[in-house]
Amino acid sequence: MSDETAPITLDTATTALLLIEYQNEFTTEGGKLHDAVKEVMATTNMLENSASLAKSCREAGIKVLHAPISFDKGHPEISSTPYGILAGVKDGEAFAAGEWGSAFCDSMKPEDGDIITKGKVGLCGFKSTNLDFVLRQNGITNVIMGGFLTNCCVESTMRTAYESGYQVYTLKDCTASTSMAAQEAAFEHNFGMFSIPTTSDEIKKALTK
């Protein structure tokens, strides 16, 4: 398990902040999945913390990456007989490309110099996307992760990043799940095996060293 008490040191030139699915479906009242996550979002203050950290990272010269998910009309990318979480996405017509629900929320819109990864139609931020290519082309070896859902897309992306040789940091106060029980269980039991769990404040401190 990771030692969360060890001080974090980061080389800004080789570090990226990866923001997973900060889209209206999750983040904003009226989003199809917002009710499921709003309690955890409020408890962790994840949206405000994420926006603040993204600002600090940009100022420090850290590359900020966004990993949105979206599907064509009718969600043809997903099986006609889906199960699990993708069944809910398809049945609810969530994250439809070009619609309000799949757009970035106002406080987390990409800014000049940010990179939006392409191709995410599943859970892992690497599978089906250009994320690994973008990271390696930019000389990134350290990846800081926040977003939705803690125990789904964030966890899946974290595990792949770990196995791909990246140094991974996961943000306890910049993630949200569908319950605090799930949120706390993910960090207590899983995340320390595949990342260094930390907070936005700890990352900000590392940027000033």
Side-chain angles (χ1 to χ4, degrees), residues 26-27 29 33-43 176-178:
F26 278 132
T27 60
E29 196 69 42
L33 301 173
H34 180 65
D35 284 349
V37 298
K38 66 181 181 181
E39 179 182 354
V40 178
M41 287 181 66
T43 300
S177 188
T178 56

Side-chain angles (χ1 to χ4, degrees), residues 23-193:
Q23 294 160 269
N24 286 321
E25 297 287 37
F26 278 132
T27 60
T28 311
E29 196 69 42
K32 292 174 180 175
L33 301 173
H34 180 65
D35 284 349
V37 298
K38 66 181 181 181
E39 179 182 354
V40 178
M41 287 181 66
T43 300
T44 63
N45 200 38
M46 64 87 68
L47 200 56
E48 293 80 1
N49 291 337
S50 298
S52 177
L53 180 59
K55 181 176 185 292
S56 295
C57 285
R58 292 184 185 105
E59 291 172 350
I62 285 179
K63 188 68 69 176
V64 176
L65 277 62
H66 303 262
I69 189 170
S70 65
F71 301 89
D72 290 339
K73 184 177 178 58
H75 292 60
E77 301 92 341
I78 300 176
S79 168
S80 60
T81 56
Y83 66 98
I85 191 168
L86 290 178
V89 169
K90 183 164 186 169
D91 292 345
E93 300 181 345
F95 299 104
E99 296 188 2
W100 174 84
S102 66
F104 292 106
C105 67
D106 288 343
S107 63
M108 294 297 290
K109 287 182 177 178
E111 297 187 7
D112 290 345
D114 292 1
I115 297 175
I116 303 172
T117 63
K118 298 178 177 65
K120 191 173 189 302
V121 291
L123 310 183
C124 177
F126 288 90
K127 194 75 171 177
S128 82
T129 79
N130 64 344
L131 176 57
D132 189 64
F133 176 82
V134 169
L135 292 172
R136 296 188 188 282
Q137 284 292 305
N138 283 274
I140 302 301
T141 57
N142 307 306
V143 182
I144 307 162
M145 295 185 187
F148 302 87
L149 292 166
T150 307
N151 56 346
C152 185
C153 292
V154 175
E155 180 163 347
S156 183
T157 306
M158 167 193 71
R159 287 171 179 254
T160 300
Y162 178 85
E163 292 194 88
S164 298
Y166 293 100
Q167 180 86 356
V168 186
Y169 301 87
T170 46
L171 297 163
K172 291 184 282 188
D173 63 338
C174 297
T175 49
S177 188
T178 56
S179 70
M180 280 308 301
Q183 176 83 1
E184 291 167 356
F187 279 100
E188 180 178 355
H189 300 294
N190 295 346
F191 277 46
M193 292 191 289

